[in-house]
Amino acid sequence: MSSFLNVTSSSLIFILTGVPGLEVAHAWVSVPFCCLYITALSGNGIILFVIITESSLHEPMYYFLSMLSTTDLGLCISTLVSTLGIFWFNSRQISFHACVAQTFFIQLFTVMESSVLLAMAFDHFIAICNPLRYATILTDSRIIKVWFAILVRGTVILLPLALLLKRLSFCQSHVLRHSYCFHPDIIQLSCSDNKINSVLGLTALIVTAGADSIFILLSYILIIKTVLSIASPEERHKAFSTCISHVGAVAIFYIPLISLCFVHRFGKRAPPNVHILMANVYLLIPPVMNPIIYSVKTKQIRRAIKKVLSPKGSEAWF
């Protein structure tokens, strides 16, 4: 048993999966993936750049948006090498320790994105429900503390999950169902008792994304209650319009996440391509769509991007 455990902890190799049935066409399959990765990386990179360089965007709302772009970049980078390595070079092998590290960072950036969306909901709540105290509540120092708390929260909750993977034994198939390492996927391959890993994984999901989604919902209930008490229809429309981008970001993050969790826990008989589709939608769609949503719906972001891309261009277009 000791020699077997030594193999599982140091020499174990997992096999990642591309798109079953389309192995000979992986070069073509990589084209849409490359487009999505390029869009996500360039879009979030531009958002970060304009927020850092434009002094007019040095406000709480845009600081939180920069946090969202940072987590989206982290999600993309966490899977980019393994995914494109499969499609371009048929590089499907990944060591156990590299797999654990990738799992940790995917989960960390997922939890951080959920936390940032909650912080953005709180930002909208204060701006609409208590605008006179907005500047005194959301100071620069408090926003830095929020970012630090988000990072610490994710690390403290998820590091034990990653470490507990090392206690598992793998004596059957080592083939994972995705192009990256995903915690539920790994523990399902274990031939030892994985109940602790499964329970803690579900608990971590509930106390992070689950709790965050509830608080976001409560924030919007209070926001709607406040907005409906405003007499002027124009002011109500203006207040609601400030929340549209955030509502879209929440939807494109939580819907794929919840769908993937249901597929993993209750869709074991679903075709493999369903798992692969949901896994890639969960990781790629939010980073791709968030910059687009905020660029389209936020006039200040559009103007800043226009200024960066064509400094001599006229802002009359906007």
Side-chain angles (χ1 to χ4, degrees):
M1 176 63 75
S2 60
S3 62
F4 177 76
L5 291 176
N6 183 54
V7 171
T8 61
S9 62
S10 61
S11 303
L12 176 63
I13 298 295
F14 284 118
I15 306 298
L16 300 173
T17 300
V19 181
L22 295 178
E23 288 82 2
V24 295
H26 271 176
W28 293 104
V29 175
S30 71
V31 174
F33 278 88
C34 287
C35 292
L36 290 173
Y37 276 117
I38 291 172
T39 302
L41 294 174
S42 59
N44 287 288
I46 291 173
I47 293 288
L48 271 177
F49 180 78
V50 298
I51 291 175
I52 292 172
T53 57
E54 287 295 315
S55 58
S56 62
L57 299 181
H58 293 175
E59 299 177 4
M61 171 184 174
Y62 303 110
Y63 290 145
F64 288 126
L65 179 56
S66 69
M67 295 179 194
L68 185 66
S69 293
T70 301
T71 58
D72 282 337
L73 285 172
L75 274 176
C76 285
I77 295 172
S78 297
T79 61
L80 186 149
V81 174
S82 63
T83 300
L84 295 186
I86 293 172
F87 293 140
W88 288 350
F89 309 111
N90 196 32
S91 177
R92 298 177 57 196
Q93 295 186 349
I94 183 170
S95 69
F96 175 77
H97 294 295
C99 197
V100 170
Q102 186 181 49
T103 299
F104 171 74
F105 283 110
I106 290 173
Q107 291 183 307
L108 176 63
F109 287 117
T110 299
V111 169
M112 288 176 65
E113 180 146 350
S114 176
S115 302
V116 170
L117 290 173
L118 174 59
M120 296 175 80
F122 180 74
D123 171 72
H124 288 298
F125 169 75
I126 297 297
I128 293 174
C129 300
N130 202 350
L132 297 179
R133 296 189 59 195
Y134 182 80
T136 58
I137 294 176
L138 293 176
T139 61
D140 290 352
S141 61
R142 285 179 178 169
I143 292 174
I144 292 174
K145 291 177 182 177
V146 167
W147 177 242
F148 182 73
I150 289 172
L151 180 60
V152 171
R153 178 203 189 199
T155 303
V156 169
I157 292 175
L158 297 174
L159 189 58
L161 285 181
L163 295 177
L164 282 172
L165 288 175
K166 297 186 177 183
R167 59 177 283 275
L168 298 178
S169 301
F170 301 88
C171 52
Q172 299 176 3
S173 173
H174 297 161
V175 179
L176 299 172
R177 288 185 289 182
H178 305 307
S179 58
Y180 57 85
C181 296
F182 190 51
H183 184 266
D185 201 10
I186 296 175
I187 64 176
Q188 286 178 5
L189 294 182
S190 171
C191 57
S192 57
D193 185 8
N194 62 8
K195 185 176 295 183
I196 294 177
N197 301 75
S198 181
V199 170
L200 288 182
L202 181 60
T203 302
L205 181 65
I206 292 173
V207 300
T208 54
D212 292 346
S213 61
I214 292 174
F215 285 119
I216 290 172
L217 178 61
L218 291 175
S219 297
Y220 272 100
I221 290 175
L222 296 175
I223 289 173
I224 293 172
K225 182 179 178 181
T226 300
V227 172
L228 292 179
S229 66
I230 300 175
S232 171
E234 292 78 11
E235 292 181 358
R236 287 201 298 268
H237 175 74
K238 183 179 179 180
F240 278 129
S241 64
T242 61
C243 301
I244 292 177
S245 298
H246 181 253
V247 171
V250 169
I252 63 174
F253 174 76
Y254 281 104
I255 292 176
L257 177 60
I258 294 172
S259 301
L260 180 62
C261 291
F262 271 97
V263 167
H264 261 281
R265 293 196 173 270
F266 306 111
K268 295 181 179 180
R269 296 183 180 179
N273 286 340
V274 173
H275 290 266
I276 292 170
L277 175 63
M278 292 307 306
N280 288 304
V281 166
Y282 146 69
L283 279 185
L284 287 176
I285 296 303
V288 168
M289 292 302 300
N290 283 335
I292 296 174
I293 291 174
Y294 278 95
S295 298
V296 170
K297 299 301 297 183
T298 308
K299 184 186 297 185
Q300 292 84 349
I301 295 292
R302 293 204 309 271
R303 287 177 174 173
I305 293 175
K306 175 67 175 179
K307 183 178 179 180
V308 169
L309 297 180
S310 54
K312 297 181 180 180
S314 170
E315 293 191 1
W317 293 94
F318 297 88

